[in-house]
Amino acid sequence: MKIKTRFAPSPTGNLHIGSIRTALYSWLFARHNRGIFILRIEDTDEERYQKKFVKAIIDSLNWLKIDWDEGPYYQTKRFDRYNDIINNMLNKGTAYKCICSKERLDNLRKSQIINGQKPRYDGYCKTKYNLSNNIPHVVRFSNPQEGYVIFNDEIRGRIKFNNKELDDLIIRRSDGYPTYNFCVAIDDWDMGITHVIRGEDHINNTPKQINILRAVGANIPTYAHVSMIFGPDGKKLSKRHAAIGILQYRQQGYLPEAILNYLIRLGWSHKNKEIFTVSEMINLFTLNKVSKSPSIFNINKLKWINHHYINTLPAEQIAKYLSQYMNIDCDSKLIKIVEVFGKGYKTLQEISKSCNYCYENFFELNIDCANKYLNYSNYKLLESIRSKLLLTCNWNSENIHEIILNTSKELKVNMNIVCMTLRVAITGNDSSPSINKIIELIGLKITVSRIENALDFIKNIKILK
Ligand code: GLU
C-alpha cells in the first residue's frame, strides 16, 4: 500500500508553529515511507476565509521546503462532488432532510440541558420521507444509533466513542453549502489518504468522519493526533509566545533549517540527538516516537538552534539567506561579511543590524559617538589615513592595519583612539569587528567617502563654534 498523507489547513489565519509542526510530521511520514504528500486548502468557511492566508500557507511551506506531490486542492472547487454524494446518501437513507425551525431546535436544546442531557438533534425529521426540495431544509447525516466508533490512534492508542453521544450532524446547510466534517471525510476518501496526521483538537471530529466514511462505503484511514503546543506558562500559545505566523519568524531572521529542526524535536525525539539534517529527519521519523503529552514552546531553544545553523552552515549558504533577508546581492563581499560577522549572532536580523553599514544606503551616524570622537583633535589622523589609503596598492586588511599603526606612531596618538575615530567615521558607531577588516570589506570608495564626511562633520563643528 502506498502511503498517502495530507496537510489540510483552513485559510482563516496565518500558519503558526502548531500547524507547521503538523505539516512537517505529515510530510516526514510520507517521505520516510516513500509515499505521497498532498496539500489541500479547506476553504469552505466563507466568513473567515481570506485569500492572503492561502498565499501565506503556500509561502510558508515553500520557505521551509515542505513540498507537496499533489494539489493544492481547494474544497470550494469540489462542491459538485460533495452534492452528488449527499444526493446519493439521501436516496440510500444514510442522510435525511430536516425542516426543523430554529425555534424548535432552541427549545429542544434548552430542555435537554435542563434534563442534564448532552444537546443533540433528536431525529425528529428522520422519518419524514419525500420532503420536497422546495421547502427550506438542511441535510443531516443519519448517524448510527448503536455501537461504538473505535480507532487506534498511532500516537494516542485506542480511542472509543459511543454512537449515542454523536449527533445527526448537518452535512448540507439550507443555503446548499456542504459542511466541514463531511467535506474532510469525502476528500480523505477521494484523495486516497491512508494516514490522517493532524492536531489533537480534531479528535472529536474523527468519529463523525469515520461514520460518514462507513456510510459511503469508504476505507477508513489511520489517524494520528498530534498534541498541542503550550506557551512557557503552560497555557495556550499566545501571540507573545508563538501564535504568530511562521513567516514572522522569517522576518525575525530565523533559518528554515532551524525552524524545522526545532519543530521536529518539539514532540518527537531520537535518542539524545538535538540536531537533525532534513535527510536525517526523513530517515528517522516514525509516528510511534511522537509524544502524547503537550509540548512547551521555548524561544531560547529555537534561538540556540538558529545560532547553531548560523555557525555551522557554509558562509555561502548564510550569505544567500542574508541577501534575501536584506534584499541585496549575494556576492563575494556578502560572503566575507558573513565570515567576519556571522559567528556570534543568533539570527539574520542580528547580523543584518550589525553589518548593514557595510552598504552605502544603510549608514547611520550615531550622534553621541560622533560628538565623542569626530572632533578637531582627530582631524589630522583621519586626513592622514585617507591619503595613505588612496595610495595603497594592495587592498587587504593587513596593509590597512599597517597604515593605521603607522599613523598612530607618526602622529603620536594612542592606537585605541585612532581605531575608535576611524570606526565611528566608517561604521557610524563605536563597536564593530576589527576596523581594518571592515575597511577591507567595504572597499576604498565607500571608506574614503565616509572619512570625507567625517572630516566635513568636524569642520562644521568648528564653524559652529
Ligand atoms: N482544516 C483543519 C484545520 O486547519 C484541519 C483538518 C484536518 O486536518 O482534518 O485545522
Side-chain angles (χ1 to χ4, degrees), residues 6-12 15 19 22 40-43 75 180-181 184-185 188 196-199 201-202 205 209 223 225:
R6 65 358 177 238
F7 178 49
S10 305
T12 51
L15 279 187
S19 318
T22 308
R40 180 168 85 219
I41 307 289
E42 303 204 321
D43 55 349
Q75 289 186 322
Y180 173 73
N181 275 300
V184 171
D188 286 339
V196 171
I197 301 167
R198 61 182 171 197
D201 46 336
H202 288 285
N205 289 330
Q209 294 173 12
Y223 291 90
H225 289 93

Side-chain angles (χ1 to χ4, degrees), residues 18-249:
S19 318
I20 285 289
R21 187 183 57 166
T22 308
L24 174 65
Y25 286 2
S26 203
W27 178 75
L28 287 174
F29 186 73
R31 293 287 172 258
H32 177 86
N33 291 293
R34 298 185 201 294
I36 294 170
F37 177 69
I38 77 165
L39 174 61
R40 180 168 85 219
I41 307 289
E42 303 204 321
D43 55 349
T44 48
D45 186 341
E46 298 154 281
E47 271 166 32
R48 294 168 59 220
Y49 165 88
Q50 284 192 45
K51 206 171 170 189
K52 67 172 185 189
F53 295 135
V54 176
K55 185 175 180 317
I57 290 168
I58 291 180
D59 287 352
S60 306
L61 295 174
N62 282 339
W63 177 54
L64 296 169
K65 299 195 182 78
I66 297 181
D67 56 344
W68 54 95
D69 309 300
E70 285 180 24
Y73 294 112
Y74 293 86
Q75 289 186 322
T76 45
K77 296 204 174 127
R78 292 176 37 80
F79 281 178
D80 288 348
R81 169 70 179 153
Y82 303 138
N83 278 321
D84 280 352
I85 297 177
I86 292 175
N87 295 338
N88 237 321
M89 290 170 78
L90 283 168
N91 288 337
K92 275 192 175 160
T94 48
Y96 61 92
K97 291 176 194 158
C98 168
I99 54 166
C100 286
S101 63
K102 185 173 178 303
E103 197 185 2
R104 177 175 187 276
L105 294 175
D106 285 347
N107 288 336
L108 174 67
R109 191 185 159 78
K110 274 183 206 147
S111 72
Q112 284 170 330
I113 291 176
I114 290 168
N115 295 327
Q117 293 165 336
K118 194 174 161 196
R120 61 200 277 263
Y121 185 64
D122 59 357
Y124 184 73
C125 289
K126 200 167 177 169
T127 47
K128 289 188 182 151
Y129 305 110
N130 300 326
L131 284 172
S132 151
N133 270 339
N134 297 332
I135 311 173
H137 66 274
V138 299
V139 175
R140 288 185 183 272
F141 172 57
S142 182
N143 197 78
Q145 296 294 299
E146 303 297 325
Y148 296 88
V149 179
I150 300 170
F151 62 96
N152 239 324
D153 190 292
E154 290 286 294
I155 297 170
R156 332 189 79 77
R158 189 172 183 266
I159 300 183
K160 182 175 172 185
F161 285 88
N162 191 336
N163 271 325
K164 288 204 163 55
E165 300 277 313
L166 302 175
D167 214 345
D168 279 0
L169 66 103
I170 296 174
I171 56 176
R172 184 163 66 201
R173 298 190 322 222
S174 55
D175 59 7
Y177 267 64
T179 58
Y180 173 73
N181 275 300
F182 179 76
C183 298
V184 171
I186 300 306
D187 286 350
D188 286 339
W189 175 34
D190 281 353
M191 295 168 194
I193 301 302
T194 60
H195 290 74
V196 171
I197 301 167
R198 61 182 171 197
E200 181 185 24
D201 46 336
H202 288 285
I203 288 186
N204 287 336
N205 289 330
T206 305
K208 302 173 195 171
Q209 294 173 12
I210 289 179
N211 277 337
I212 293 172
L213 289 168
R214 280 189 185 142
V216 297
N219 283 336
I220 311 298
T222 300
Y223 291 90
H225 289 93
V226 184
S227 300
M228 295 283 116
I229 302 177
F230 291 139
D233 52 5
K235 293 189 185 143
K236 216 175 150 233
L237 276 185
S238 67
K239 282 254 159 32
R240 195 165 55 88
H241 297 131
I244 54 173
I246 199 77
L247 292 176
Q248 281 177 266
Y249 287 95

